[in-house]
């Protein structure tokens, strides 16, 4: 059988399937009958015992990681807390609330109280409570613990969807490939897969139904297909194809440290998008001009608790130091949409991408925003920091955020804590309403970076995660290029910089157009850097400008793609006048 989807991270691999079904609790609304109370209490006790055993095992495993062991010990204390235990029991026996709903209610009540606290340690404790709550609910449901952080053998992970918290802790050595039922080229799973160089095909309808654990499949993340029951001939053929693709990707790598200068001598800037504070990501700093997008939410998503000010400060300092004098553009947390925090219970929304996400959430949760801003300002003395806000739809939100940054700066001054007064403040342009008032935005910011992943979904009114509307999510829609052209012109006139940090910035088909529009700062995943530099070195800006003009006047995304593909093919053949 062949299943099809969208290839989002290239490669061809052969391996065994592991279906991944993370636990998401569903709470019982119906009350218990009086007769059910004893068995409900017994189920609650069993769940508690099971949760304690799991934590014991984890504590043993963490014996040589005292920081993590401390967190597990704190989780044990929460689990054994006599007051919460008593309240859960009395909800079950006195008010006939089912055990799952009783656990959720009591844990949520205490977590909400802790969240109100001014004390950062107490706020962190709230996410520990959420963690224990989830463990307890899972044990109650009889679901074994599953995560992707320690896999026993190499597998192709198949899932309905992966949360950023799943992918962020991925066991990179053992994940050969990724297949999901939802998601597309700009979903976070895709971005992580590309940055980890794990072949991935997303939006594969029916993958969970048709694929089973242990089954050998071929994952072709060039064509975008999954082949089940491969014959010996197919295995040989696809193995050869996999080697060819890897060789091509390796060839690109020779350009990792090349100067991105066009043939007519314009030095473009290639920046890095980073999403985690680990050595593998930070090693990329050596090959680029700076960090154009530091997705700080991964710090929250990677963690089983909400990181406090000190923890964030340490992380930001580490990133700034890794980049030395090169700029680091810290994006304030972009949570909501397809990114939910394990430690933060957010209300369900019918349209999360149109809901409380990005800066909207930061302004609604001022405690989290102020903590993050303080940590960033304190870290600013360690490098060249810029701050950027995501999902800005209106100037009043931007002005409010700027006021908070100024207030926190003043508070640091009063406390005698040093910070860098020259921090540039900018926004991501992702929402059409803000793109259309670029002439007013330019007066309020030092720079913008265009998040084409979101800009495209909002311009085209097509959910970037939903495979059913994939044909409508048109990365090469003429409107996208027209908006980019308008932003570039407006900001060039004011002498302020524009960059692109969406996936378009690393896309070899789109780079010539972006360069031609006058966008000479591109921020991308490390896996795209070498290929982008190779391409830039073959580019002639006069020709690129003509191309940019042309595509803004082509009628459909399909026509534009065909034009860009022809342009790219000439690059590869090296036979055009544009390329060497
Ligand atoms: C974007 O929207 O283009 C972007 C870079 O932000 P994210 O992908 O994190 O939403
Ligand atoms: Mg975005």
């Amino acid at each position: 059988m062949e299943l099809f989807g969208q290839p989002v991270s290239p490669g061809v691999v052969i391996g065994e399937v592991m279906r991944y079904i993370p636990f998401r609790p569903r709470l019982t609304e119906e009350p218990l009958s009086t007769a059910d109370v004893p068995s409900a209490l017994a189920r609650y006790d069993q769940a508690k015992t099971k949760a304690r055993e799991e934590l014991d095992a984890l504590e043993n495993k963490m014996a040589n990681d005292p920081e993590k062991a401390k967190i597990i010990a704190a989780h044990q204390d929460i689990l054994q807390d006599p007051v919460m235990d008593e309240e859960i029991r009395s909800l079950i026996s006195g008010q006939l609330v089912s055990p799952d709903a009783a656990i959720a209610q009591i844990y949520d009540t205490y977590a909400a109280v802790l969240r109100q606290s001014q004390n950062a340690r107490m706020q962190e404790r709230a996410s520990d409570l959420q963690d224990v709550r989830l463990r307890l609910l899972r044990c109650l449901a009889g679901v074994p613990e599953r995560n992707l952080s320690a896999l026993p053998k190499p597998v192709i992970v198949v899932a309905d969807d992966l949360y950023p918290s799943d992918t962020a802790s991925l066991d990179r050595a053992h994940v050969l490939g990724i297949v999901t039922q939802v998601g597309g080229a700009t979903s976070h799973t895709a971005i992580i897969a590309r940055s980890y160089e794990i072949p991935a095909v997303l939006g594969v309808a029916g993958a969970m139904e048709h694929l089973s654990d242990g089954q050998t499949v071929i994952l072709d993340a060039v064509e975008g297909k999954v082949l089940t029951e491969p014959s010996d001939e197919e295995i040989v053929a696809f193995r050869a194809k996999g080697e060819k693709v890897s060789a091509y990707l390796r060839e690109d790598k020779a350009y990792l440290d090349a100067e991105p200068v066009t043939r007519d001598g314009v030095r473009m800037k290639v920046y890095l998008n980073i999403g985690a504070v680990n050595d593998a990501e930070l090693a990329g700093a050596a090959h680029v001009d700076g960090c154009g997008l530091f997705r700080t939410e991964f710090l929250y998503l990677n963690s089983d608790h909400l990181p406090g000010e000190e923890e964030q400060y340490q992380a930001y300092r580490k990133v700034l130091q890794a980049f030395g004098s090169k700029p680091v553009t810290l994006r304030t947390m972009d949570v909501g949409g397809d990114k939910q925090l394990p430690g933060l219970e957010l209300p369900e929304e019918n349209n999360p991408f149109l809901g409380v996400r990005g800066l909207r959430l930061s302004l609604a949760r001022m405690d989290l925003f102020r903590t993050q801003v303080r940590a960033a300002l304190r870290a600013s003395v360690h490098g060249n920091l810029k701050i950027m806000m995501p999902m800005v739809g209106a100037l009043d939100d931007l002005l409010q955020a700027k006021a908070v940054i100024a207030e926190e700066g003043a508070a640091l001054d009063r406390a005698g804590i040093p910070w860098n007064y020259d921090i540039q403040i900018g926004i991501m342009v992702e929402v059409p309403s803000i793109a259309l008032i670029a002439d007013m935005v330019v007066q309020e910011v030092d720079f913008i970076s265009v998040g084409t992943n979101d800009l495209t979904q909002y311009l085209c009114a097509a959910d970037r995660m939903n495979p059913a509307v994939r044909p409508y999510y048109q990365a090469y829609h003429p409107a996208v290029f027209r908006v980019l052209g308008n932003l570039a012109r407006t900001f060039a006139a004011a002498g302020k910089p524009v960059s692109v940090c969406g996936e378009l910035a690393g896309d070899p088909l789109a780079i010539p157009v972006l360069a031609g529009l006058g966008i000479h700062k591109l921020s991308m995943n490390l896996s795209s850097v070498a290929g982008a530099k190779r391409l830039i070195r073959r580019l002639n800006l006069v020709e690129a400008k003509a191309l940019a003009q042309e595509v803004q006047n082509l009628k459909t995304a399909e026509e534009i793609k065909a034009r860009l593909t022809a342009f790219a093919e000439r690059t590869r053949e090296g036979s055009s006048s544009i390329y060497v």
Side-chain angles (χ1 to χ4, degrees):
M1 190 199 321
E2 286 189 0
L3 301 172
F4 295 92
Q6 192 175 13
V8 299
S9 176
V12 178
V13 286
I14 302 166
E16 278 185 27
V17 165
M18 189 200 92
R19 287 166 13 114
Y20 176 61
I21 308 171
F23 178 70
R24 319 258 193 252
R26 285 233 179 99
L27 301 180
T28 317
E29 283 174 14
E30 297 77 45
L32 299 168
S33 68
T34 322
D36 290 336
V37 168
S39 71
L41 285 170
R43 284 202 297 127
Y44 166 63
D45 280 331
Q46 280 159 13
K48 250 184 92 178
T49 307
K50 178 79 185 111
R52 198 199 60 228
E53 287 167 1
E54 284 185 6
L55 287 170
D56 282 343
L58 266 177
E59 217 171 342
N60 287 338
K61 259 210 294 215
M62 302 292 174
N64 43 17
D65 188 343
E67 272 308 301
K68 289 224 168 90
K70 237 166 57 194
I71 295 172
I72 305 296
H75 286 195
Q76 290 279 28
D77 291 346
I78 293 168
L79 185 67
Q80 303 306 339
D81 186 280
V83 178
M84 289 207 298
D85 182 65
E86 194 42 52
E87 290 182 12
I88 291 169
R89 285 177 192 285
S90 71
L91 270 187
I92 297 172
S93 47
Q95 299 190 36
L96 303 178
V97 177
S98 65
D100 52 355
I103 292 168
Q105 187 177 323
I106 297 302
Y107 272 73
D108 287 348
T109 307
Y110 280 92
V113 172
L114 290 172
R115 242 184 255 120
Q116 303 302 327
S117 161
Q118 292 301 315
N119 178 323
R121 180 70 204 100
M122 286 298 167
Q123 287 173 18
E124 282 162 29
R125 197 82 176 174
S127 42
D128 288 329
L129 276 185
Q130 292 299 342
D131 230 56
V132 179
R133 170 192 190 271
L134 193 64
R135 182 178 297 279
L136 205 42
L137 288 174
R138 182 177 48 70
C139 290
L140 187 73
V143 176
E145 186 164 30
R146 286 189 106 177
N147 64 55
L148 298 175
S149 65
L151 300 170
K153 58 179 176 184
V155 287
I156 293 175
V157 173
V158 178
D160 175 47
D161 186 15
L162 293 178
Y163 278 16
S165 51
D166 299 321
T167 44
S169 59
L170 205 70
D171 176 354
R172 291 163 70 173
H174 286 115
V175 178
L176 295 173
I178 294 174
V179 175
T180 65
Q181 299 194 134
V182 303
T186 61
S187 66
H188 291 89
T189 303
I191 292 167
I192 292 279
R194 271 195 294 278
S195 79
Y196 287 176
E197 299 180 9
I198 297 174
V201 180
L202 309 189
V204 181
M208 289 297 272
E209 185 190 338
H210 297 301
L211 302 176
S212 47
D213 283 323
Q215 179 181 19
T216 297
V217 297
I218 294 173
L219 173 66
D220 180 343
V222 176
E223 300 295 323
K225 61 182 178 187
V226 185
L227 248 103
T228 63
E229 293 128 28
S231 65
D232 290 347
E233 292 78 42
E234 280 172 326
I235 289 186
V236 171
F238 278 91
R239 209 162 261 150
K241 182 174 178 181
E243 276 158 22
K244 231 167 100 183
V245 173
S246 305
Y248 181 81
L249 296 172
R250 266 198 308 276
E251 218 178 275
D252 264 357
K253 286 206 171 124
Y255 290 81
L256 191 58
D257 288 314
E259 282 263 298
V261 181
T262 64
R263 287 184 59 214
D264 39 359
V266 174
R267 170 70 161 83
M268 300 217 358
K269 293 268 170 69
V270 172
Y271 289 99
L272 194 64
N273 290 353
I274 61 169
V277 185
N278 57 41
D279 294 344
E281 291 253 350
L282 296 182
H287 311 293
V288 292
D289 294 302
C291 167
L293 172 63
F294 172 19
R295 289 185 163 99
T296 58
E297 61 276 5
F298 284 86
L299 202 70
Y300 299 76
L301 299 163
N302 250 340
S303 166
D304 44 17
H305 62 283
L306 290 175
E309 181 182 323
E310 186 58 26
E311 191 176 337
Q312 291 188 53
Y313 162 74
Q314 295 295 350
Y316 302 158
R317 185 172 85 161
K318 192 167 170 191
V319 174
L320 284 160
Q321 285 175 337
F323 280 87
S325 59
K326 296 174 182 175
V328 171
T329 316
L330 179 150
R331 177 174 78 181
T332 58
M333 65 166 194
D334 187 17
V335 172
D338 69 332
K339 289 176 281 196
Q340 301 295 324
L341 291 192
L344 183 70
E345 201 84 348
L346 298 172
E348 285 239 340
E349 295 180 298
N350 279 340
N351 289 306
F353 274 120
L354 301 182
V356 186
R357 69 170 290 214
L359 183 60
R360 295 174 181 176
L361 180 67
S362 290
L363 296 178
R365 286 297 306 269
M366 215 38 116
D367 52 332
L368 299 182
F369 189 45
R370 285 187 184 276
T371 302
Q372 178 165 39
V373 168
R374 268 197 309 276
L377 295 185
R378 280 177 54 203
S380 66
V381 293
H382 299 292
N384 181 356
L385 178 75
K386 299 176 183 214
I387 296 179
M388 169 165 88
M389 265 79 64
M391 184 72 182
V392 183
L395 277 181
D396 28 18
D397 277 6
L398 167 63
L399 297 179
Q400 204 185 337
K402 278 171 64 178
V404 169
I405 297 172
E407 281 163 25
E408 291 305 327
L412 290 182
D413 282 343
R414 283 195 299 279
I417 299 170
W419 60 286
N420 180 356
Y421 293 150
D422 292 330
I423 299 172
Q424 293 195 350
I425 297 182
I427 60 167
M428 298 198 61
V429 174
E430 296 169 298
V431 183
S433 58
I434 210 78
L436 286 169
I437 56 168
D439 56 326
M440 294 187 268
V441 173
V442 75
Q443 297 167 27
E444 297 296 340
V445 296
D446 297 312
F447 67 93
I448 54 167
S449 186
V450 190
T452 45
N453 306 340
D454 277 316
L455 181 63
T456 305
Q457 83 164 340
Y458 295 132
L459 277 176
C460 298
D463 182 341
R464 70 197 251 193
M465 295 295 289
N466 180 356
V469 290
R470 194 181 307 133
Y472 294 102
Y473 182 100
Q474 298 181 343
Y476 306 130
H477 195 295
V480 173
F481 292 115
R482 284 193 178 183
V483 169
L484 283 164
N486 184 41
L487 290 167
R489 270 192 306 279
T490 307
F491 273 70
K496 292 188 178 178
V498 176
S499 60
V500 173
C501 62
E503 293 305 291
L504 206 65
D507 174 352
L509 290 189
I511 287 172
V513 184
L514 299 177
L517 289 171
I519 299 173
H520 296 169
K521 294 183 172 199
L522 304 173
S523 194
M524 61 196 72
N525 302 312
L526 185 57
S527 57
S528 304
V529 168
K533 287 184 173 182
R534 183 182 188 180
L535 175 58
I536 289 168
R537 289 170 66 84
R538 294 176 173 199
L539 211 57
N540 179 316
L541 271 191
V542 176
E543 302 283 353
K545 267 184 201 152
L547 178 74
Q549 276 312 317
E550 193 187 334
V551 300
Q552 287 180 83
N553 292 303
L554 291 177
K555 292 195 178 70
T556 64
E558 208 175 326
E559 276 176 61
I560 293 180
K561 187 169 183 193
R563 178 70 189 94
L564 299 184
T565 307
F567 199 85
E569 267 160 17
R570 284 195 299 171
T571 318
R572 269 202 292 277
E573 288 160 11
S575 62
S576 102
S577 62
I578 306 169
Y579 300 108
V580 276

